[in-house]
Each structure stands twice: as C-alpha cells, then as structure tokens.
Amino acid sequence: MRFMVLVKANKDSEAGVMPSTEVLTAMGKFNEELVKAGVLLAGEGLHPSSRGARVRCEGQKRTVIDGPFAETKELLAGFWLLQVKSKEEAIEWIKRSPFQEGEIEIRQVFEASDFGDSMTPELLAQEERLRAESEARASAAR
C-alpha cells in the first residue's frame, strides 16, 4: 500500500524561512531510516504558496489564481510517499518523525484495483505504460 504523507505549512514555511541545520540533520536521519527500511518512494519540501498557483476548472473554463493563498492551515510544506503494509505502519513511521509541532496528514494512494470494473484492461495497460515511461524519463534525467 502506498500512503501520501502531507506536512502542513505554518507561518514560517509560508514566509520562506528555511529550516536550521539541526532540523535538516534530524530530517536527513529520519529519511535515511525510511530509505534503509525500504519504505520511502519520494519525499520533498515545497516552496511557499507565494511561488505557486491554483487552476480552477469550471466546465471548459480555466482560471489561474496566483499565490500566496490565505489559509495557511490548509497549505502544504512538504510530503513523503511511503510504501508500507498498512495505515498503521505509516502512522508508526510518522510518529518517529523529527517534527516538534504542527500537523501531518496521512492518506492512502489509490491503486488500479481500487477502481473495480471501471478500470478496463485497456485503461490498466495505459496506466502501466505511462508509469514505465515516466520512470524511464526520470531515470534518464538523473
């Protein structure tokens, strides 16, 4: 099972305040544990919402809204993508994170099998092809 772990933003992250060497060291140690356990698929910090945009979709109309966005408590400062056996295992990992304050949200990522009959063999083949192509492009870019 894959879980997206969402690190909520705070006033400092939205102001672009960079973490201290101590925080980065602790986070590096935690990420190293995740890698050694074979559960980390990806993990990154995000720039403040002032550098971002939202695209609102209404039928065929698209409206671009530039950041910053008002509700800091609704924004993200970073994420991990973990591959674990259960939500409980994801929770146990995140309880070990070096954060001293804030809120971290854990959400399961849909797998193709979750879509039942709506995921036709053709759509499944397309999904597998796109994943393989995306991974190949990412490997070539490194």
Side-chain angles (χ1 to χ4, degrees), residues 13-135:
S13 65
E14 276 299 290
V17 175
M18 299 307 283
S20 67
T21 300
E22 293 79 16
V23 169
L24 290 173
T25 300
M27 190 61 66
K29 182 180 176 196
F30 179 65
N31 287 341
E32 197 165 316
E33 290 177 35
L34 293 169
V35 168
K36 285 181 179 177
V39 300
L40 183 65
L41 298 176
E44 304 292 339
L46 302 172
H47 282 270
S49 70
S50 61
R51 297 184 67 182
R54 291 180 177 167
V55 178
R56 178 175 294 131
C57 302
E58 299 172 271
Q60 296 299 310
K61 182 181 175 187
R62 302 294 183 257
T63 305
V64 177
I65 304 138
D66 290 320
F69 307 118
E71 292 294 323
T72 302
K73 66 182 181 181
E74 300 298 324
L75 300 175
L76 299 175
F79 70 92
W80 285 285
L81 185 59
L82 304 180
Q83 175 114 29
V84 293
K85 294 181 178 116
S86 65
K87 179 172 76 174
E88 292 72 27
E89 184 180 356
I91 290 169
E92 287 306 312
W93 274 109
I94 297 310
K95 285 165 86 175
R96 295 170 55 185
S97 75
F99 290 106
Q100 298 298 308
E101 60 182 56
E103 189 172 289
I104 302 169
E105 184 175 338
I106 301 169
R107 308 256 312 265
Q108 188 171 352
V109 175
F110 278 110
E111 302 294 342
S113 61
D114 294 327
F115 293 99
D117 293 341
S118 295
M119 182 59 78
T120 65
E122 295 80 16
L123 290 171
L124 185 57
Q126 178 188 39
E127 175 74 15
E128 291 171 357
R129 178 182 54 77
L130 291 173
R131 281 188 192 275
E133 185 177 326
S134 178
E135 288 174 14

